[in-house]
Amino acid sequence: MTRVLSCIQPTGVVHLGNHLGALRNWVSGQHEADVFHGIVDLHALTVTDTPGVLGRQTLELAAMLFAVGLDPDVATVFVQSHIHEHSELAWIMECTVSFGELSRMTQFKDKSAKREADFVSAGLFTYPALQAADIVLYDAEEVPVGDDQRQHIEITRDIAIRFNHRFGDTLVIPKAVHPAAGARVMDLQDPAAKMSKSASSDLGIVYLTDDNSAIERKFKRAVTDSEGVVRFDRDSKPGVSNLLEILAACTGGNPSDLAGHYQQYGPLKADTGAAVIALIEPIRTRYNELLQDPAELARLLAKGNDRARAVASQTLARVHSAIGLLPRA
Ligand code: TYM
């Protein structure tokens, strides 16, 4: 059975980009593969330093992962900081990646530039080594992610290949898997930028907790262009193309074919909003129900952590032995 792993940071409410680019595919893949999904709270530490926030957000994210349809009996949902092997292997991965490789990561350049006068931690720089550890710890063959994670999976492959070259065949080399539609959902107000929790205005982001009228409003106000022609062309018509791609991702259609059904932007916006509401409404209801029982969420996470640790500890032992560290007496 194929081993699949993918993770998400508990840095705020899950948005439509997370769902279409990643979570939805985690759910659809859970019955065909052996799947591991982590809530990566240690990664979130690179940008969060307010005491007490991460724990609450981890529990909320767990509720969301089960609400979108991950089945705790089938999928292994775990918390990164509860499995110490992640941090331990991350150090070894740091020693297997070069300063130059990390310096070329666009996410580091973007995030550190955005933080301007803020504290830019060394963790933000070495982030890809921890992500590589997350992936190789589970012998993951496939990593279902949105388009923005391409470079992170590439560097993971490079690190794993280098490790195997140095110490012998030890790590599985993973590959990224992206959805046909929805791999790069753009901000509704700024279709040149990806939909992201760090955007300046909430109007461009559709959260999975948004109520129906908020979703309708956000699509109605979505930025398009002044040409007045519905056509799928990401470069010259980013706003309209983003709507078509979201509609395609929700309905299973093809963005270019869907364009042929519309003469005006208004009906395209209305239909896309309606398709997103149909997708999100049941998730929101289930999320609110699950949040009522934090003890049950903690129990489900503990179950996932046990399963995750069983795999992670074996991989770390294999890595130590491949390197030839002195075995514990
Ligand atoms: P994160 O938490 O930013 O996002 C979680 C997932 O959502 C996808 N995504 C998007 N997809 C389409 N359109 C968008 N606008 C959009 N925004 C986000 C992301 O591609 C991701 O799949 N570094 C990772 C977390 C991570 C990880 C891992 C992922 C840590 N370790 C190991 C995979 C494997 C991140 O920050 O994702």
Side-chain angles (χ1 to χ4, degrees):
M1 215 182 209
T2 307
R3 177 64 65 73
V4 167
L5 171 127
S6 197
C7 305
I8 178 168
Q9 297 192 61
T11 40
V13 180
V14 171
H15 58 68
L16 187 65
N18 298 130
H19 188 52
L20 297 180
L23 305 192
R24 208 164 67 131
N25 309 299
W26 301 1
V27 173
S28 63
Q30 67 184 331
H31 294 292
E32 282 100 59
D34 184 17
V35 307
F36 287 72
H37 294 298
I39 300 176
V40 287
D41 49 354
L42 297 177
H43 274 104
L45 260 187
T46 56
V47 289
T48 314
D49 54 16
T50 315
V53 171
L54 280 178
R56 178 178 48 78
Q57 291 189 342
T58 296
L59 213 61
E60 287 171 359
L61 183 51
M64 191 54 92
L65 295 183
F66 296 126
V68 297
L70 283 179
D71 175 351
D73 289 329
V74 176
T76 299
V77 178
F78 64 89
V79 180
Q80 186 185 35
S81 67
H82 293 187
I83 294 154
H84 58 78
E85 284 82 0
H86 285 256
S87 314
E88 291 179 36
L89 186 59
W91 176 254
I92 295 174
M93 298 291 99
E94 277 180 47
C95 297
T96 317
V97 67
S98 71
F99 181 83
E101 284 170 313
L102 291 176
S103 309
R104 287 193 287 277
M105 300 303 288
T106 51
Q107 199 140 320
F108 172 71
K109 290 190 219 165
D110 291 351
K111 285 197 177 170
S112 51
K114 262 193 201 151
R115 292 179 74 77
E116 287 173 349
D118 268 354
F119 183 75
V120 175
S121 70
L124 199 60
F125 185 66
T126 58
Y127 181 115
L130 178 57
Q131 180 156 348
D134 300 338
I135 297 171
V136 300
L137 257 187
Y138 298 92
D139 291 333
E141 298 159 83
E142 294 183 359
V143 187
V145 281
D147 205 49
D148 61 337
Q149 294 300 312
R150 235 171 241 279
Q151 208 186 15
H152 280 154
I153 312 305
E154 250 338 285
I155 200 171
T156 299
R157 289 171 59 87
D158 294 343
I159 296 173
I161 290 169
R162 183 172 299 128
F163 185 94
N164 286 350
H165 186 68
R166 283 185 185 164
F167 301 112
D169 224 1
T170 312
L171 304 177
V172 173
I173 312 299
K175 71 164 196 281
V177 179
H178 305 288
R184 194 168 182 79
V185 176
M186 310 308 275
D187 188 295
L188 297 182
Q189 287 298 309
D190 176 11
K194 71 168 182 181
M195 190 176 283
S196 156
K197 293 164 200 168
S198 55
S200 51
S201 146
D202 271 358
L203 200 54
I205 312 170
V206 178
Y207 295 104
L208 265 53
T209 49
D210 277 348
D211 61 30
N212 294 352
S213 62
I215 300 173
E216 265 168 20
R217 190 173 63 248
K218 288 177 179 180
F219 278 98
K220 206 176 270 176
R221 296 230 220 137
V223 168
T224 48
D225 54 57
S226 55
E227 193 191 19
V229 178
V230 179
R231 187 160 46 83
F232 185 66
D233 179 341
R234 276 234 176 244
D235 293 333
S236 62
K237 297 180 71 70
V240 171
S241 301
N242 189 36
L243 293 174
L244 286 166
E245 188 153 345
I246 292 171
L247 184 60
C250 293
T251 59
N254 167 295
S256 302
D257 295 348
L258 285 169
H261 299 160
Y262 296 93
Q263 270 76 49
Q264 288 171 319
Y265 296 162
L268 171 64
K269 290 180 177 183
D271 285 3
T272 308
V276 169
I277 287 172
L279 187 74
I280 289 183
E281 197 172 25
I283 295 174
R284 189 176 64 225
T285 307
R286 179 104 189 93
Y287 173 72
N288 288 327
E289 281 165 16
L290 288 167
L291 270 188
Q292 303 304 311
D293 194 350
E296 173 62 4
L297 289 170
R299 190 188 70 78
L300 293 177
L301 287 176
K303 192 165 121 177
N305 289 338
D306 286 346
R307 287 207 299 252
R309 191 174 301 115
V311 177
S313 61
Q314 280 187 15
T315 311
L316 187 66
R318 205 168 74 225
V319 165
H320 281 196
S321 144
I323 298 172
L325 296 177
L326 182 69
R328 268 176 237 170

